[in-house]
């Protein structure tokens, strides 16, 4: 079954995506910036498309890391012992 139609699989995929993006951004901080720099007068980079989505996932992983870690632990217990 596809991960889209099974809620447990969808949560697993989202948690893995968040953790992976946060790890990649930790290793290479400019990986999701696309080589862009701030123009004079700009206060932040405009992120759009796939790299913008991955940047947002990495920010969720950075800012909510205790909750993401706890969710990963709960999901691991669920996958190992509860899911059939």
């Amino acid at each position: 079954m596809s991960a889209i139609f099974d809620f447990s699989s969808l949560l697993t995929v989202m948690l893995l995506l968040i953790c992976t993006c946060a790890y990649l951004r930790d290793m290479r901080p400019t990986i999701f910036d696309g080589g862009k720099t701030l123009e004079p007068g700009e206060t932040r980079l405009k992120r759009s498309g796939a790299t913008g989505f991955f940047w947002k996932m990495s920010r969720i992983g950075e800012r909510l890391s205790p909750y993401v870690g706890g969710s990963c632990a709960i999901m691991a217990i669920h996958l190992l012992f509860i899911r059939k």
Side-chain angles (χ1 to χ4, degrees):
M1 181 184 281
S2 176
I4 297 171
F5 302 115
D6 185 18
F7 186 69
S8 175
S9 297
L10 179 65
L11 283 178
T12 304
V13 169
M14 290 303 292
L15 282 171
L16 287 173
L17 181 66
I18 289 170
C19 292
T20 302
C21 288
Y23 176 77
L24 286 175
R25 189 148 188 259
D26 187 42
M27 293 292 114
R28 294 189 177 226
T30 59
I31 192 167
F32 299 126
D33 292 340
K36 298 178 185 174
T37 58
L38 286 175
E39 299 293 328
E42 286 185 334
T43 57
R44 63 183 185 149
L45 287 174
K46 294 180 177 127
R47 294 173 179 88
S48 60
T51 57
F53 177 73
F54 293 140
W55 180 83
K56 289 176 187 174
M57 292 292 115
S58 70
R59 292 301 284 178
I60 291 170
E62 289 173 356
R63 293 186 178 195
L64 300 175
S65 61
Y67 298 110
V68 171
S71 299
C72 287
I74 291 169
M75 186 58 69
I77 291 168
H78 172 74
L79 288 174
L80 290 174
F81 301 113
I82 298 171
R83 190 174 179 187
K84 297 181 183 194

